[in-house]
Amino acid sequence: QVQLVESGGGLVQAGESLRLSCAASRISFSPNSMGWYRQAPGKQRELVASITSGRSTNYADSVKGRFTISRDNAKNMVYLQMNSLKPEDTAVYYCNVKKYTWGPDYWGQGTQVTVSS
């Protein structure tokens, strides 16, 4: 069973930066895509950013220009560099891996990011 472990969350002030990391283990395939989703209290989980095996990226409009996603295929790691954080970025951030374009999806347990104003 694929295991995803996130790290790097925390409490920061608006304007500061954080870097999230996700390590995928027990994985026997090269993921089609790896990415980050987030869920704020009372809201649906939403895509933040994703990156394919060919390193094509996709970002939510709300984070474009502030967040950068990257991956290390050899280590099965995915990262999210978050700059100029805003209070509205506060959420639990989940790592996601898709084996194929359509799935199946694998999820981490999430890491809390809190941005104070």
Side-chain angles (χ1 to χ4, degrees):
Q1 182 69 15
V2 174
Q3 185 175 23
L4 303 177
V5 178
E6 302 103 333
S7 60
L11 171 64
V12 297
Q13 292 188 333
E16 294 184 339
S17 299
L18 280 175
R19 186 186 192 225
L20 304 183
S21 300
C22 174
S25 61
R26 302 177 185 175
I27 189 167
S28 60
F29 55 89
S30 178
N32 175 269
S33 72
M34 304 180 78
W36 294 91
Y37 287 69
R38 68 186 180 188
Q39 187 167 20
K43 294 188 177 181
Q44 289 189 330
R45 190 173 297 189
E46 63 175 359
L47 173 69
V48 177
S50 64
I51 183 168
T52 68
S53 56
R55 290 184 169 77
S56 293
T57 58
N58 182 40
Y59 293 93
D61 288 342
S62 59
V63 307
K64 284 181 181 176
R66 300 188 298 122
F67 291 10
T68 302
I69 190 169
S70 60
R71 67 187 275 180
D72 184 328
N73 290 333
K75 296 181 179 180
N76 283 322
M77 296 281 296
V78 62
Y79 308 96
L80 186 68
Q81 178 65 43
M82 304 186 293
N83 298 329
S84 302
L85 282 160
K86 303 176 180 180
E88 50 264 43
D89 294 317
T90 295
V92 177
Y93 284 69
Y94 296 91
C95 179
N96 170 269
V97 163
K98 295 183 188 295
K99 184 174 182 179
Y100 304 111
T101 302
W102 50 265
D105 290 84
Y106 300 91
W107 297 94
Q109 291 192 332
T111 185
Q112 177 70 47
V113 171
T114 303
V115 184
S116 63
S117 58

